[in-house]
Amino acid sequence: MDGAALLGVKLFGLVGAGLAFVVWQWRDVARAQARSAQACQAAAEAGAAPAAVASGPAAPTGLRGRVILVTGAGSGMGAAGVLALQRRGAIPVLLDCDAHTLATTAAALAGEVLTITADVTSAAACEDAVARVLARHGRLDMVWANAGVASFGPLAHTDPAAWRRCFEVNVFGVFNTVRAALPELLRRRGYVLVSASVSSFAHPPAMSAYAGSKAAVEAMCNAWRIELAGHGVRVGVVHASWVDTPLMSEGALHPAFRRLRATMPALLRRETSAADAARVIADGVDRRAARIWVPGWVRVLHWLRALLHTPLAERELRRAAPEIEQHYLDGLAGSGALASSFGPREFERAERRRDAAR
């Protein structure tokens, strides 16, 4: 059997296995939704009073009254997520490094919510945040480590500080957040959710820091899921594709990033709104899901991840890589390495950190 035929057989087998697994997973999701509906009906028959939350659908019993700490809650998926979670009866606590966006998000929620301005790269700040949650609410049931940044640029030219910062926030920030919350989550037999990405298993050129950091947190969660299962704590990962957030909008300003996206088929370039992503995530949190796919077809890519970095799959990216690098170098000449490696918001934060260090 020649190489092409062998590859065809492998692809056919993987797709067949993938489709079978889709049916299996959908069956489990349907059963979980049926159990949730039965629980809601039982609560209604018992005369349980609904919690006072923002307008929206009735809250499933799985989230009603649960306190969840959400990092990166000032914008994007985090901001949309806390609204969706509150509408289902959860009590969100908002944490972000940007006090202005944090206040804007809090103003859209019902009641007075606890907001915390902090940098997740500080373990002490994360510990203080958990202490404030417990002082205010007396409990912490869930944590969603969602704070993240992206840096962009080829290995030879990207700013090392930007590359390092991506790991500090996306990896060590997740560790600091989950580690600080863990004692209370162990007491409550709670839930940990971490925002990874499609980039945790599909690794595009010029995004090595972002892809590497998201691959790291996926691996961390896989290990933690096993470690904590015996303690009754569940661990989940969000694998999101393109979601309409400020991070995406800033990326679209860079010609090299636009060229990168153009290498993908139209279906894979399609964006999901932050509100739609938040609804999917809230559903997953309600089920304490091990993996949450945004949108649903991302799970198929995950199952076929071994094929994503074969020569055939990488062909368009390899063709585009020199052009992506040239676009980056053009920006580098005009703006410098740091501005070319970060979006506008993170660039401003980096400049403030530099000024403070002087």
Side-chain angles (χ1 to χ4, degrees):
M1 183 178 292
D2 61 24
L6 182 60
L7 178 60
V9 170
K10 289 182 178 179
L11 284 172
F12 181 79
L14 283 170
V15 170
L19 289 174
F21 198 55
V22 166
V23 174
W24 178 44
Q25 290 291 311
W26 281 344
R27 180 200 62 183
D28 286 351
V29 169
R31 287 176 176 175
Q33 290 173 337
R35 286 195 297 269
S36 178
Q38 290 170 358
C40 289
Q41 182 178 359
E45 291 173 354
V53 297
S55 61
T61 55
L63 288 177
R64 186 179 293 122
R66 305 296 185 187
V67 178
I68 177 168
L69 173 63
V70 181
T71 69
S75 62
M77 285 200 312
V82 294
L83 179 59
L85 290 165
Q86 191 188 61
R87 283 175 171 168
R88 291 163 184 258
I91 302 170
V93 176
L94 285 56
L95 187 151
D96 200 281
C97 65
D98 189 325
H100 175 71
T101 60
L102 200 57
T104 301
T105 301
L109 298 174
E112 293 186 11
V113 298
L114 176 60
T115 62
I116 302 170
T117 303
D119 186 339
V120 295
T121 65
S122 166
C126 292
E127 292 167 1
D128 178 68
V130 170
R132 291 179 61 182
V133 174
L134 296 178
R136 171 73 172 269
H137 295 293
R139 62 187 295 164
L140 177 60
D141 301 283
M142 304 174 175
V143 63
W144 177 14
N146 172 67
V149 300
S151 70
F152 187 81
L155 171 62
H157 308 291
T158 191
D159 187 283
W163 204 96
R164 187 180 307 111
R165 179 68 179 175
C166 203
F167 269 78
E168 288 172 351
V169 175
N170 296 2
V171 179
F172 292 99
V174 167
F175 174 84
N176 292 338
T177 301
V178 176
R179 179 65 179 262
L182 188 57
E184 186 65 14
L185 296 179
L186 288 170
R187 278 192 286 272
R188 297 283 174 182
R189 299 173 69 85
Y191 179 60
V192 173
L193 183 64
V194 175
S195 290
S197 167
V198 168
S199 292
S200 66
F201 54 88
H203 310 141
M207 294 191 67
S208 61
Y210 186 76
S213 66
K214 293 304 183 179
V217 296
E218 181 187 15
M220 289 155 55
C221 288
N222 288 342
W224 293 343
R225 187 179 300 114
I226 300 167
E227 291 175 21
L228 298 175
H231 298 278
V233 175
R234 296 189 183 181
V235 178
V237 182
V238 179
H239 290 290
S241 182
W242 307 107
V243 178
D244 185 11
T245 65
L247 198 65
M248 277 293 306
S249 301
E250 291 181 351
L253 298 174
H254 205 302
F257 186 77
R258 293 198 299 271
R259 180 66 184 92
L260 173 63
R261 286 193 68 181
T263 64
M264 302 174 183
L267 173 64
L268 302 188
R269 293 199 304 268
R270 197 171 297 168
E271 290 186 9
T272 302
S273 71
D276 286 344
R279 283 191 288 271
V280 174
I281 291 167
D283 286 342
V285 173
D286 199 1
R287 301 192 314 271
R288 277 60 164 180
R291 296 194 187 271
I292 300 173
W293 317 98
V294 182
W297 54 257
V298 171
R299 76 169 71 207
V300 178
L301 284 185
H302 189 264
W303 296 332
L304 302 178
R305 61 194 298 170
L307 300 177
L308 297 179
H309 291 284
T310 59
L312 179 63
E314 290 181 347
R315 183 173 57 186
E316 289 302 316
L317 289 171
R318 290 176 185 236
R319 287 176 178 172
E323 191 176 346
I324 291 170
E325 183 170 7
Q326 187 57 55
H327 280 309
Y328 183 86
L329 290 174
D330 291 343
L332 190 67
S335 304
L338 189 64
S340 296
S341 300
F342 273 146
R345 292 179 307 157
E346 193 57 33
F347 174 68
E348 291 178 7
R349 293 167 187 157
E351 290 287 89
R352 289 198 297 268
R353 288 192 297 271
R354 283 187 174 182
D355 291 341
R358 288 172 184 164

